[in-house]
Amino acid sequence: MQTKKTIFRSRALPYLLLAPQLAITVVFFLWPAGQAIWQSFLRQDAFGFSTQFVGLENYIALFHDPSYLNSFKVTAVFSISVAGLSMGLGLLFAVCVDRIIKANRAYSTLLIWPYAVAPAVAGVLWWFMFNPTIGILSYALRQMGYNWNHATHPDDAMILVVLAASWKQISYNFLFFVAGLQAIPQSLREAAAIDGAGPVKRFFTVVFPLLSPTTFFLLVINVTYTMFETFAVIDASTSGGPAQATNILVYKVYQDGFVGLNLGSSAAQSVILMAIVIVLTVIQFRYIERRVEY
Amino acid sequence: MADIKLTRVEKTYPGASEPSVKGVDLQINDGEFVVLVGPSGCGKSTLLRMIAGLETISSGEIAIAGRVVNDMEPMDRNIAMVFQNYALYPHMSVRQNLSYGLKNRKMPKAEINRRVDDAASILQIGALLDRKPRALSGGQRQRVAMGRAIVREPSVFLFDEPLSNLDAKLRVSMRGEIRQLQKRLGTTSVYVTHDQMEAMTLADKLVVLNAGRVEQVGTPLELFHQPQTVFVAGFIGSPGMNLWDGDVRQGNLVIDGVEVARGVRAPDGPVVAGLRPEALSLQTGGDGQFILSYVEELGSTRLVHGHFNGQPVSAQMTPDQPLDQVMRMVFDSADLHLFDAATGARVNSAPAIDAASTPETV
């Protein structure tokens, strides 16, 4: 590829042109990140009168804190469930739409809609439907003999947030899987049909392996999504409760820092999250840029 | 081993106003190599895909080895197909590609290995068995695709333009290999191509299709020497046949008021007259009706293009024959193919091989 090189007559001009983007990066990303790192080494007294440098103490305390370790576990369960559910359903819908010829555009459009719903609204929506007093789904469950109450049952709460977070993400996964399926030449499926593979076998031995680049890409994206972008869903539905059952890492940062006002610990938690994001991003760029290409 | 019988087979795609394949009747005998040839959109691939079971049959009947297969899945028809883009499974090694169809049929492992190794040695791809398709050249992929068909030991091979993605030289050599392989295995084969040269060289029996209909069925030489329609006359043979609009008047062929041939055996009326470029020679010497436009040098022969009363003419000549701006056209009236101008059907009887003929000079 040929890149066009522009020669600037003045040395200042290129820097000037870059300045707005650099300013945004510095003000909104680098400075806060630096602040968080600095903050994570400090401890403040309860009234904010004095601040003291404590080194790694905040980190050490975190890893001895059972509620923080529990939050890790909750996050893992939450991420895996959301990624599994939303990718599974996204793939299922994509395969269904791929099979129909006539109205697949209409179905695709309808299936993409949930993605346009704001996370907080999605959270409220599901919270309404499952509301133990007025929700239609909790009513239906009660009729079937299950006493649904996500305000008191930890498992119910987890199911609620998983559903609310997955529901939105299905659209996204669906879109990528449809594109992935359409990229598989029809003749491969035909060859497999002649080779004696039924539809199910065809899917698992030919189609799904060829979707693996898409699947891997979506897995990374979904994990990132559930870990960092589901704050609104949690906040609007369970607020991390009951008894920390849905208190995922990113929500705990907010709770400890802005509700509990334990700024040092909260900052240390965000630094850890930042490290996780960096690792995920590296994985993403490393493996997805040169993904499994056939 | 199987024969294939097509009875009034039709295909209408949903939403199409006209069928793509119109009432095709065809008998393919056991062990025969049949080539379906025609321009793009003539329905040849659709016909092949209906035999394979990849397209539904709108009406009519297809029977393989005496069994009607209309409602049978592709896997139950005991066929193997070679696709234009090879359709190799990209995530499987060559060996896995070859054995996939056998594994699906629950064949014992020892038998699978024997067949894969046999096919690999026939096609000389033994060294490639552990490679993935992306690490193969076009010709090697083509061989693997053939191998996948061979290992199945099916009763019918179906080929869907398998050579069209190869370069010209490789295409010619693969053509020869396919021909030899088919003779050796004796498996009934149906081969689709738009390349009439490929069709001529491969076929035991040639089926020319046009706009969803069978124009003519016969051996390559029958079609070459006795095309039954204008379409076949123009399609088969390279360089293409000269086709002129003219009239038959009392046994004479008249083109634009010029009497070009006497004693043609055809009823009076407007005709299309066909003459192969190799049956036409051009003579220098001042007068004549042929006006030279340009010359294509082919090495051992040269193609001379020009026109005669505004109608395009080409003649195949040897390079040692002299050329001039204006020449006389010399041909044998027995070499003329005459077709009804309205229906396109042949109107003169076949030129008898030993009939006394008179050279015509225009």
Side-chain angles (χ1 to χ4, degrees):
Chain A
M1 211 172 66
Q2 214 166 7
T3 43
K4 210 171 177 182
K5 245 188 185 166
T6 312
I7 313 282
F8 289 104
R9 231 169 290 161
S10 140
R11 286 181 64 102
L13 186 60
Y15 295 100
L16 200 69
L17 291 174
L18 276 176
Q21 180 61 50
L22 287 175
I24 287 172
T25 310
V26 170
V27 172
F28 291 103
F29 295 93
L30 297 180
W31 187 31
Q35 284 280 311
I37 294 172
W38 176 237
Q39 188 87 67
S40 72
F41 297 130
L42 301 179
R43 182 159 54 201
Q44 282 181 312
D45 70 87
F47 302 101
F49 290 137
S50 65
T51 305
Q52 161 186 22
F53 185 82
V54 292
L56 290 173
E57 223 168 274
N58 282 324
Y59 293 93
I60 295 162
L62 269 182
F63 285 100
H64 287 97
D65 177 6
S67 80
Y68 187 65
L69 297 178
N70 175 60
S71 179
F72 254 106
K73 214 174 75 192
V74 167
T75 309
V77 170
F78 180 65
S79 307
I80 293 167
S81 310
V82 171
L85 186 67
S86 62
M87 285 174 68
L89 286 177
L91 180 57
L92 181 72
F93 291 147
V95 169
C96 293
V97 164
D98 195 49
R99 284 176 74 95
I100 51 174
I101 305 153
K102 268 189 181 167
N104 68 12
R105 285 199 149 222
Y107 283 108
S108 303
T109 309
L110 290 177
L111 280 164
I112 291 162
W113 279 359
Y115 196 61
V117 175
V121 177
V124 170
L125 207 72
W126 285 89
W127 176 83
F128 249 123
M129 286 196 284
F130 276 110
N131 188 301
T133 334
I134 54 169
I136 184 148
L137 289 176
S138 58
Y139 175 77
L141 284 169
R142 236 188 338 271
Q143 296 301 307
M144 288 187 279
Y146 183 80
N147 185 21
W148 175 275
N149 192 341
H150 58 250
T152 54
H153 302 316
D155 290 343
D156 290 358
M158 179 55 94
I159 292 171
L160 173 67
V161 290
V162 166
L163 283 176
S166 304
W167 178 67
K168 266 185 56 57
Q169 202 60 11
I170 288 171
S171 306
Y172 186 85
N173 295 339
F174 164 79
L175 209 59
F176 275 83
F177 276 129
V178 165
L181 285 172
Q182 279 166 356
I184 297 175
Q186 190 59 29
S187 61
L188 278 181
R189 296 173 217 206
E190 290 173 351
I194 289 174
D195 265 343
V200 177
K201 186 155 206 181
R202 213 145 64 211
F203 179 78
F204 283 107
T205 56
V206 176
V207 176
F208 191 66
L210 293 179
L211 277 180
S212 61
T214 311
T215 311
F216 183 72
F217 165 78
L218 285 178
L219 187 67
V220 175
I221 293 288
N222 277 290
V223 168
T224 319
Y225 161 78
T226 52
M227 286 189 78
F228 308 105
E229 283 168 47
T230 45
F231 174 86
V233 172
I234 303 266
D235 191 48
S237 55
T238 64
S239 302
Q244 310 286 314
T246 56
N247 201 357
I248 60 170
L249 289 170
V250 69
Y251 196 71
K252 195 167 160 54
V253 170
Y254 161 77
Q255 272 211 323
D256 290 359
F258 291 88
V259 182
L261 290 176
N262 187 351
L263 292 181
S265 172
S266 173
Q269 291 180 33
S270 22
V271 171
I272 293 170
L273 271 180
M274 193 158 73
I276 296 173
V277 179
I278 290 170
V279 169
L280 280 174
T281 313
V282 168
I283 293 177
Q284 191 173 332
F285 278 106
R286 261 285 170 86
Y287 295 95
I288 288 166
E289 289 293 291
R290 53 176 176 93
R291 57 169 124 173
V292 207
E293 201 80 62
Y294 292 117
Chain B
M1 303 300 108
D3 65 327
I4 305 172
K5 193 170 167 57
L6 278 67
T7 318
R8 291 190 303 281
V9 172
E10 298 226 350
K11 174 72 187 181
T12 310
Y13 282 103
S17 56
E18 225 190 324
S20 308
V21 172
K22 300 166 192 160
V24 169
D25 284 297
L26 190 61
Q27 167 74 41
I28 297 168
N29 298 323
D30 183 22
E32 217 169 19
F33 198 124
V34 171
V35 176
L36 307 179
V37 66
S40 35
C42 71
K44 56 191 190 298
S45 278
T46 307
L47 201 55
L48 188 81
R49 291 167 59 81
M50 282 196 280
I51 298 173
L54 300 173
E55 292 292 349
T56 54
I57 300 161
S58 304
S59 73
E61 199 176 274
I62 295 180
I64 300 176
R67 287 184 312 169
V68 175
V69 296
N70 282 31
D71 299 319
M72 226 179 251
E73 288 293 320
M75 56 185 284
D76 300 323
R77 297 187 183 200
N78 199 17
I79 49 145
M81 184 154 163
V82 179
F83 290 83
Q84 179 174 1
N85 63 1
Y86 319 130
L88 300 178
Y89 310 120
H91 57 298
M92 299 184 194
S93 67
V94 169
R95 179 179 287 280
Q96 286 167 326
N97 262 286
L98 295 185
S99 51
Y100 181 71
L102 305 178
K103 269 189 199 145
N104 287 339
R105 287 179 169 75
K106 311 247 181 309
M107 190 175 279
K109 220 167 181 166
E111 173 69 3
I112 293 180
N113 286 335
R114 187 190 65 74
R115 287 201 189 183
V116 169
D117 291 337
D118 277 1
S121 74
I122 290 175
L123 295 164
Q124 296 156 4
I125 51 171
L128 310 174
L129 282 176
D130 296 320
R131 288 208 205 160
K132 292 271 175 66
R134 67 166 176 276
L136 303 178
S137 69
Q140 290 169 331
R141 284 179 202 188
Q142 176 59 50
R143 281 164 193 276
V144 175
M146 298 274 300
R148 196 167 61 181
I150 293 174
V151 289
R152 292 262 319 282
E153 297 177 9
S155 46
V156 178
F157 284 140
L158 303 174
F159 298 90
D160 189 5
E161 310 212 16
L163 302 183
S164 50
N165 284 0
L166 300 179
D167 64 65
K169 202 166 178 186
L170 199 52
R171 202 179 304 165
V172 172
S173 71
M174 281 306 290
R175 195 162 79 192
E177 284 190 42
I178 290 180
R179 178 73 183 154
Q180 284 176 24
L181 192 66
Q182 195 270 342
K183 282 286 151 270
R184 186 156 124 203
L185 301 172
T187 308
T188 313
S189 301
V190 186
Y191 188 108
V192 160
T193 182
H194 61 267
D195 180 345
Q196 61 89 23
M197 184 74 95
E198 206 170 288
M200 293 279 284
T201 50
L202 281 170
D204 291 325
K205 187 150 90 185
L206 204 51
V207 179
V208 179
L209 288 159
N210 181 30
R213 266 181 228 289
V214 174
E215 288 273 336
Q216 192 174 350
V217 180
T219 65
L221 287 182
E222 273 169 18
L223 265 66
F224 184 80
H225 290 300
Q226 296 193 28
Q228 292 303 306
T229 64
V230 170
F231 180 81
V232 176
F235 194 77
I236 298 292
S238 173
M241 190 187 272
N242 291 301
L243 292 170
W244 303 312
D245 296 322
D247 283 287
V248 173
R249 289 180 202 150
Q250 285 122 33
N252 297 332
L253 176 63
V254 181
I255 294 174
D256 289 326
V258 182
E259 193 177 277
V260 297
R262 283 175 292 274
V264 297
R265 276 175 279 174
D268 286 8
V271 292
V272 175
L275 186 67
R276 296 228 174 259
E278 8 347 346
L280 176 64
S281 63
L282 300 171
Q283 288 178 354
T284 51
D287 61 340
Q289 302 267 358
F290 177 87
I291 315 292
L292 180 72
S293 319
Y294 65 100
V295 179
E296 282 181 282
E297 296 290 358
L298 302 173
S300 54
T301 61
R302 63 161 51 129
L303 265 180
V304 183
H305 297 275
H307 51 90
F308 146 71
N309 274 355
Q311 304 213 46
V313 176
S314 52
Q316 191 172 338
M317 296 167 68
T318 52
D320 54 318
Q321 286 171 293
L323 293 175
D324 201 354
Q325 211 46 47
V326 175
M327 285 181 278
R328 281 195 303 274
M329 308 196 309
V330 180
F331 61 92
D332 189 335
S333 64
D335 288 333
L336 278 172
H337 305 269
L338 298 179
F339 306 95
D340 188 299
T343 64
R346 188 182 187 91
V347 288
N348 67 331
S349 50
I353 303 298
D354 56 354
S357 56
T358 42
E360 306 286 349
T361 306
V362 183

